[in-house]
Amino acid sequence: MAVDHARVEAAVREILVGIGEDPDRDGLMETPARVARMYAEVFEGLDQDPRQPLSTTFDIDHQELVLVRDIGFHSMCEHHLLPFVGVAHVGYIPDGGAVTGLSKLARLVNVYARRPQVQERLTSQIADALVSELGAGGAIVVIEAEHMCMSMRGVRAEGARTVTSAVRGMLRESSSTRAEAMSLINRG
């Protein structure tokens, strides 16, 4: 489903009127169209199949942890439509030796992040996809993010970071394997 630009533009125009602004003044005339184009970009994950990034695998008989740290992302809090920004650390243990390209893990993060989202669901969706789509024997996802809905409004806790994790399969079952993964994530 593509973003309905005309509908978003009309809604943004109404918001501008609602906050006491003149949407026809210089500086705001193009804002509704800009916001519609921005929404098409930041919510492009709604039009993407999250199974696609993990559809390509390579059989290299690797059965140890594969981890990509510090995958930067931007998402939009579904409660306030304000951004949350952070990094995802994504790891998995291949089952049967099949691995995916490292860039595919970053693509997976971005498919799910570019939707109206909450951090807890985002974390679980990535871990679940590694198991269901890649067939990983274990998965770990740790996300650290600053939420503008906490920084800009309400409590105004600027700089506060939320950390969530999701652990699946053998990484959940083996405390030593999970500890190894966490030590690699926390390195640096």
Side-chain angles (χ1 to χ4, degrees), residues 69-73 85-89 109 119 142-146 161:
R69 288 183 22 192
D70 300 320
I71 300 169
F73 74 90
V85 179
V87 294
H89 313 289
V109 169
Q119 184 173 329
V142 176
I143 294 182
E144 306 171 50
E146 182 174 357
R161 294 178 66 82

Side-chain angles (χ1 to χ4, degrees), residues 16-87:
L16 290 170
V17 171
I19 65 170
E21 267 291 358
D22 175 8
D24 294 318
R25 80 165 168 81
D26 210 21
L28 287 180
M29 287 187 297
E30 297 299 318
T31 297
R34 284 188 199 102
V35 171
R37 288 191 304 272
M38 178 209 43
Y39 277 2
E41 185 177 339
V42 300
F43 294 127
E44 70 186 0
L46 290 167
D47 291 329
Q48 296 174 336
D49 181 351
R51 296 172 299 184
Q52 195 281 326
L54 301 179
S55 64
T56 302
T57 60
F58 309 96
D59 188 11
I60 62 167
D61 196 31
H62 183 78
Q63 297 179 18
E64 302 295 324
L65 181 67
V66 176
L67 175 72
V68 178
R69 288 183 22 192
D70 300 320
I71 300 169
F73 74 90
H74 301 84
S75 193
M76 292 288 263
C77 164
E78 68 183 33
H79 299 141
H80 301 98
L81 290 182
L82 286 171
F84 63 98
V85 179
V87 294

Side-chain angles (χ1 to χ4, degrees), residues 35-176:
V35 171
R37 288 191 304 272
M38 178 209 43
Y39 277 2
E41 185 177 339
V42 300
F43 294 127
E44 70 186 0
L46 290 167
D47 291 329
Q48 296 174 336
D49 181 351
R51 296 172 299 184
Q52 195 281 326
L54 301 179
S55 64
T56 302
T57 60
F58 309 96
D59 188 11
I60 62 167
D61 196 31
H62 183 78
Q63 297 179 18
E64 302 295 324
L65 181 67
V66 176
L67 175 72
V68 178
R69 288 183 22 192
D70 300 320
I71 300 169
F73 74 90
H74 301 84
S75 193
M76 292 288 263
C77 164
E78 68 183 33
H79 299 141
H80 301 98
L81 290 182
L82 286 171
F84 63 98
V85 179
V87 294
H89 313 289
V90 178
Y92 71 97
I93 297 176
D95 191 18
V99 299
T100 191
L102 300 175
S103 68
K104 305 302 185 188
L105 300 177
R107 290 182 197 280
L108 178 66
V109 169
N110 282 308
V111 166
Y112 283 120
R114 292 185 173 270
R115 298 170 176 206
Q117 202 46 284
V118 294
Q119 184 173 329
E120 298 87 344
R121 182 186 317 116
L122 174 62
T123 308
S124 292
Q125 286 174 325
I126 296 165
D128 291 341
L130 291 169
V131 173
S132 66
E133 301 306 320
L134 193 56
I140 186 166
V141 178
V142 176
I143 294 182
E144 306 171 50
E146 182 174 357
H147 293 250
M148 294 302 109
C149 57
M150 274 187 59
S151 299
M152 295 174 60
R153 55 160 302 282
V155 70
R156 292 188 176 97
E158 196 167 322
R161 294 178 66 82
T162 300
V163 179
T164 53
S165 68
V167 184
R168 305 288 186 266
M170 63 179 67
L171 280 158
R172 184 180 203 138
E173 297 158 9
S174 169
S175 60
S176 62

